[in-house]
Amino acid sequence: MITTQSAGGTAIADTANYTAPATPPQPNTIVITVTPQADPSKKTQATITIQTGPSLSLLPTTATLASNHRVTLTATENGTTGSSIIWSVNGISGGNSTVGQLCVVDSSPCQSITTSTATQIDYVAPGAIPFANPVSVQVAIAGNPAISSSAQITVLITFSSVFSQCHHAAAA
């Protein structure tokens, strides 16, 4: 606890707060010096090391896919390891057939992710262009959803998909 005093010796405040910057300075050690106005010879110092907090990164951050195609996404934890993580597409846990599904890598047919430690998944684009396009695939730490990362994926319809849809419609 730090007590600050006016020149007359009366306590002004008994605490002081330091807010670290979002990005640690280089070097990441700072020194805070408190010097009383009444007696500058009685100054004191505190050394603080500022460290980066936990974060998640997701690669790739953008992708463009044809309908029914997939891309593998990889999440990397920084400053923490082994956290339970949650995957979603446009806020829907695991996605769905409208916005795209999140699957175990290389599973065919798509197998839902059943582990909360899966750091690599496949996003499988839906058969039709989703209403919200691009879609947002998000990964977050389960206990702290503020620690998250996302990828924007644009879904395109291919000529073969259009042809197939037209062919099925004509055959009906």
Side-chain angles (χ1 to χ4, degrees):
M1 177 166 71
I2 300 169
T3 301
T4 57
Q5 296 180 341
S6 66
T10 312
I12 298 173
D14 57 358
T15 62
N17 294 319
Y18 173 78
T19 302
T23 304
Q26 290 302 321
N28 66 339
T29 301
I30 63 160
V31 177
I32 298 176
T33 303
V34 179
T35 306
Q37 288 180 339
D39 188 353
S41 68
K42 293 184 179 179
K43 70 180 175 182
T44 189
Q45 294 183 326
T47 302
I48 299 173
T49 301
I50 301 172
Q51 298 178 350
T52 305
S55 66
L56 282 175
S57 60
L58 185 58
L59 291 176
T61 57
T62 61
T64 301
L65 294 177
S67 56
N68 296 312
H69 284 75
R70 63 177 61 211
V71 62
T72 300
L73 300 170
T74 303
T76 303
E77 294 180 80
N78 303 300
T80 183
T81 57
S83 300
S84 290
I85 56 177
I86 301 169
W87 291 89
S88 62
V89 182
N90 289 359
I92 301 166
S93 181
N96 62 28
S97 61
T98 303
V99 295
Q101 294 179 290
L102 300 176
C103 310
V104 172
V105 174
D106 293 330
S107 63
S108 184
C110 176
Q111 296 174 10
S112 297
I113 302 161
T114 57
T115 176
S116 63
T117 57
T119 57
Q120 195 171 55
I121 57 96
D122 277 354
Y123 167 79
V124 179
I129 295 177
F131 177 73
N133 196 22
V135 297
S136 179
V137 175
Q138 186 175 42
V139 60
I141 292 180
N144 190 351
I147 301 173
S148 64
S149 188
S150 63
Q152 304 304 308
I153 302 175
T154 302
V155 179
L156 302 176
I157 196 96
T158 62
F159 178 74
S160 61
S161 296
V162 172
F163 179 76
S164 176
Q165 289 172 4
C166 291
H167 179 70
H168 288 298

